[in-house]
Amino acid sequence: MTMRNASFALSFPFTAGVLAGQLLHGPGAASAAAQAIAFAGPFAIIGLAVLLACCRSRAGLTGAVLFFCLGLWCAVIRQILPANGIGSGNDITAATLEALRSRIESLPFGREETASLLEALLTGRKAALDKETIVAFRSAGAAHILALSGLHLGVLSAVLDRMLRVLGNSRAARALRAFAVIAAALFYTLMCGKGASLVRAFIFICISKLTSLAPGRRKDGATTLCTALVVQLAIRPEWIGDPAFQLSYLSMCAIFFLYPHLERWHPAAGNRRNITVRMW
């Protein structure tokens, strides 16, 4: 089984398990069932792994069942953890965000709305934008640019990566550049609120940068997408019901699975350049 096929075969049952775990959240019997799964889940998964390990010819089924149970357990255990037990705020990132906003507002731009627009694009704060600017973006079909998403993190990471290429192209330089981009992307994600789309983009960047350090490793968008889906739902299973999370992954599915077919139907002609789809 190839890496792509394995990622498909395991991410879908894991997602189904997370969804099933979310449905167990509720009063009465459902809540009792959730607690039982949370505490007995690890032992049940280990026992099921040992049982299914005997069926070597059914390796695909074994992995699917195990990942379904793992997704179910992740969703249930998250429900009984304290609400602020994971991903609590950080004073350093909050102070940095406020400093960045203050710095943008203090810059001597030629137009008054430039500072508020730049602040919205970099920090996601749209309170200072005037109504005319918001209406103009909506009329142009570009209102999504004003909401922080993976696009913003991808652009900023690409700019930083380009700037750090002055370090050279040795193995040590590439490793240093990769970890610097990952660290900067993590700080920006924490600073701007850890939204579902930003976290998805951060996981994409981590996978892309780390695999680029492995010699002979070929990047594959579909594998990255499925891996990021499993990692993100394992960290925050409740995101499966978040529209931002759903739209973020649906858009990436369209890029990786639908766009190649559209490109074959209407290929670039003459000296027009093909659209390059970045991993993030």
Side-chain angles (χ1 to χ4, degrees):
M1 182 182 291
T2 65
M3 181 65 72
R4 170 180 282 203
N5 292 337
S7 63
F8 275 115
L10 298 179
S11 61
F12 284 109
F14 182 86
T15 305
V18 170
L19 181 59
Q22 290 297 110
L23 294 177
L24 286 174
H25 182 64
S31 180
Q35 293 185 14
I37 292 174
F39 292 109
F43 303 101
I45 292 174
I46 293 173
L48 188 61
V50 174
L51 180 63
L52 294 178
C54 301
C55 306
R56 295 174 179 259
S57 60
R58 298 178 180 270
L61 177 61
T62 301
V65 173
L66 288 177
F67 266 69
F68 176 86
C69 294
L70 183 60
L72 179 65
W73 183 78
C74 287
V76 169
I77 197 66
R78 174 65 175 142
Q79 292 172 14
I80 65 175
L81 286 176
N84 295 325
I86 298 177
S88 56
N90 188 290
D91 293 338
I92 297 178
T93 55
T96 304
L97 180 60
E98 289 303 318
L100 176 60
R101 288 173 174 172
S102 300
R103 179 58 179 168
I104 292 174
E105 293 172 357
S106 66
L107 293 175
F109 293 107
R111 298 171 62 93
E112 294 183 1
E113 59 270 23
T114 302
S116 57
L117 180 59
L118 184 60
E119 186 176 346
L121 292 174
L122 289 179
T123 70
R125 182 176 179 270
K126 295 178 287 187
L129 284 176
D130 56 84
K131 185 176 181 180
E132 290 75 13
T133 301
I134 297 176
V135 170
F137 271 86
R138 289 177 178 172
S139 300
H144 61 282
I145 297 178
L146 297 178
L148 283 182
S149 66
L151 172 65
H152 299 75
L153 185 58
V155 170
L156 293 175
S157 299
V159 171
L160 178 60
D161 183 73
R162 179 71 66 173
M163 293 172 59
L164 292 176
R165 290 191 179 183
V166 296
L167 298 175
N169 201 37
S170 65
R171 184 174 179 82
R174 286 188 286 113
L176 178 60
R177 188 166 67 237
F179 286 109
V181 171
I182 290 174
L186 174 61
F187 189 84
Y188 183 80
T189 302
L190 295 174
M191 182 181 71
C192 294
K194 306 180 291 294
S197 182
L198 281 178
V199 173
R200 190 269 307 157
F202 170 69
I203 298 174
F204 267 50
I205 291 172
C206 289
I207 296 173
S208 177
K209 291 300 179 184
L210 293 177
T211 54
S212 67
L213 298 178
R217 187 80 176 186
R218 186 175 65 88
K219 294 181 180 180
D220 182 77
T223 302
T224 302
L225 177 67
C226 294
T227 304
L229 177 65
V230 171
V231 172
Q232 191 166 359
L233 285 180
I235 298 172
R236 295 289 294 272
E238 66 272 18
W239 265 338
I240 197 170
D242 186 351
F245 173 87
Q246 297 167 2
L247 292 174
S248 179
Y249 275 92
L250 282 175
S251 64
M252 297 309 299
C253 284
I255 291 174
F256 289 130
F257 303 119
L258 182 59
Y259 169 74
H261 296 287
L262 296 177
E263 171 64 16
R264 284 196 293 269
W265 292 342
H266 188 66
N271 58 359
R272 288 166 48 204
R273 298 179 59 187
N274 293 328
I275 298 176
T276 301
V277 180
R278 290 190 175 274
M279 291 298 294
W280 47 76

